[in-house]
Amino acid sequence: MERLQKVIAASGIASRRKAEELILAKKVMVNGKVVSELGVKVKDNDIISVDGQPINREEKVYYLLNKPRGVITSTSDEHGRKTVVSLIPESKRIYPVGRLDYDTTGALILTNDGEFANMMMHPSNEIDKVYIAKIKGMLLPSEIMQLKNGVMIDGIMTSKSRVKVKKVDKSTNTSIIEIIIHEGKNHQVKKMFESIGKEVLKLKRERIAFLDLKGLNSGEYRKLNHKEVSKLYVLAREK
Ligand code: URA
């Protein structure tokens, strides 16, 4: 038995709070009867509908993919490009949690659990996203400080980040930088470097929280187990 608002949120149509509002607004039915108070528990085979539409109650699945370059982080693409979803043969309708650019590689989670996806993408959570960027040129100590303290991108200040210079190659005038952020704004890492006048030549997400790419070659994926999924919930909730 699970709480009704949790089941609605897990179906992906609303956050848990929004689900509570829907219940209070008498928009939710269980087996054809309106439920208007919070705290009601439902069974696996109860039919739940919101605004007259039955919700999807299929088993939840979670994947970690090592995204290759040249694949779009989307469920479909109008230009016919390969999508991350097409790399995983799964009959359930899964979708990516957050986004990696077409030319960015590395760790990407895919799931059919809407509540989990919302939680992972919520800006208040402090889940580490570890990126390795190959950039043109080198970073001055003052530029490292700027990145660490936050820079303006699209008129918004980024939160604090952790930055480490991993390697400097004078012969090719490039550097390898590790940058750890919690947010997931559009093209965030590239724009952060751009804001200090540096171009990102290559970008890889090496880790999401404790999920690294060990054992996963480019294009390979694995299922996350229950323990890993609950650990992510715990990390996203504690701040
Ligand atoms: N930041 C970017 O600029 N691109 C990505 O794909 C991910 C983070």
Side-chain angles (χ1 to χ4, degrees), residues 111-129:
T111 184
N112 61 343
D113 184 341
E115 189 190 19
F116 173 83
N118 284 334
M119 175 214 63
M120 290 293 289
M121 290 190 285
H122 199 277
S124 75
N125 87 47
E126 298 201 351
I127 291 192
D128 283 350
K129 286 150 197 145

Side-chain angles (χ1 to χ4, degrees), residues 67 73 99-105 129 131 181 183-193 200 203-205:
K67 178 194 173 295
T73 304
R99 224 175 336 201
L100 289 180
D101 295 335
Y102 190 63
D103 59 352
T104 301
T105 61
K129 286 150 197 145
Y131 290 91
I181 60 174
E183 302 156 301
K185 300 188 201 306
N186 223 351
H187 312 301
Q188 178 154 346
V189 173
K190 290 178 190 166
K191 284 185 176 172
M192 286 176 76
F193 280 101
V200 173
L203 187 61
K204 178 178 191 177
R205 181 152 68 189

